[in-house]
Amino acid sequence: MASSALVPSPPPSPTYRVVKWAFVTPLFRLFLRGRCRGMELVPLSGPLVVVANHGSHLDPPLLGHALPRPVSFMAKAELFKIPVIGPLIRAMGAYPVSRGASDREAIRTALRRLEEGWATGVFLDGTRKASGRVEAPQLGAALLSARSGAPLLPVALVNTHRAFGPKQRWPRPVAVEIRVGQPIAPPASRSRADLDATTAQCQQAINALLEHPASPL
């Protein structure tokens, strides 16, 4: 479905706006003392595959909150069963994908939303990592990019794994930062070699963003 046409990004729904400003914004700005860097690098129109590291249950709503356009993102199906978190991420545009299986419906949903001009988010590892880094990236984001012609946007979620990591029962007020890197061109083809190369480029870009010094308060 590769196309160079820049389809306007759909406007956020009323539910999206309410959840963002009533719940996610106070969580990010006040409880987590959140900061953003590189938002000027986000393309504001056309399909976009947002790729990020994943260290926390907080990542989906924070990723949707940070960018200056709505993000429809994949999240593992188990998250939708968690009280509060499940309804929150669904309202922020998430849709479930089954971990460990080829979820063709989720891929079709992602491609359809890219055709509609959405930014679609993918956590590169597919599951949370205690280190907060990208360690074992999967090829799904590169494949979506290759099939849709959408560029990839690397985003680093800094310290979310410390705020509410895999072994924590409750979030902690740890300062977090969301950093955006330069967009990455789609793979040259759908060959395994090209998908591997683009995936490695995304991994390197995100981990490099994680290593940048924190913004001054």
Side-chain angles (χ1 to χ4, degrees):
M1 168 232 44
S3 172
S4 59
L6 289 184
V7 181
S9 177
S13 68
T15 301
Y16 188 104
R17 290 191 182 98
V18 168
V19 171
K20 174 175 179 175
W21 294 111
F23 298 100
V24 183
T25 296
L27 172 69
F28 180 67
R29 298 292 180 183
L30 302 179
F31 185 73
L32 299 174
R33 293 167 287 157
R35 301 174 68 87
C36 297
R37 291 171 58 181
M39 294 301 128
E40 71 279 1
L41 299 174
V42 180
L44 298 181
S45 62
L48 182 69
V49 179
V50 179
V51 288
N53 57 309
H54 191 21
S56 171
H57 284 319
L58 298 175
D59 293 340
L62 293 185
L63 180 60
H65 160 273
L67 301 192
R69 59 183 290 186
V71 181
S72 175
F73 51 86
M74 292 184 180
K76 63 181 182 180
E78 295 90 333
L79 284 179
F80 292 82
K81 301 175 183 178
I82 300 175
V84 181
I85 293 291
L88 183 65
I89 64 174
R90 190 179 295 277
M92 292 300 292
Y95 53 94
V97 59
S98 299
R99 186 169 57 180
S102 176
D103 193 332
R104 295 183 179 180
E105 181 58 33
I107 293 173
R108 283 195 293 267
T109 298
L111 288 171
R112 184 169 62 249
R113 295 192 179 186
L114 287 168
E115 288 177 343
E116 295 169 352
W118 279 86
T120 295
V122 180
F123 296 113
L124 269 189
D125 281 310
T127 188
R128 291 173 298 156
K129 297 295 182 181
S131 69
R133 295 175 62 82
V134 178
E135 298 176 354
Q138 306 301 303
L139 301 182
L143 181 59
L144 285 176
S145 176
R147 292 182 62 176
S148 66
L152 299 116
L153 185 74
V155 178
L157 301 162
V158 183
N159 279 342
T160 60
H161 67 295
R162 294 189 175 96
F164 194 22
K167 296 183 179 180
Q168 294 174 230
R169 296 188 63 183
W170 301 100
R172 297 183 299 176
V174 175
V176 305
E177 188 166 276
I178 298 178
R179 303 170 182 168
V180 177
Q182 293 285 348
I184 295 170
S189 74
R190 300 184 198 177
S191 71
R192 179 61 185 259
D194 285 335
L195 296 179
D196 280 339
T198 299
T199 299
Q201 187 178 0
C202 291
Q203 177 184 20
Q204 292 163 7
I206 294 169
N207 286 340
L209 287 168
L210 289 170
E211 293 165 4
H212 283 180
S215 294
L217 294 177

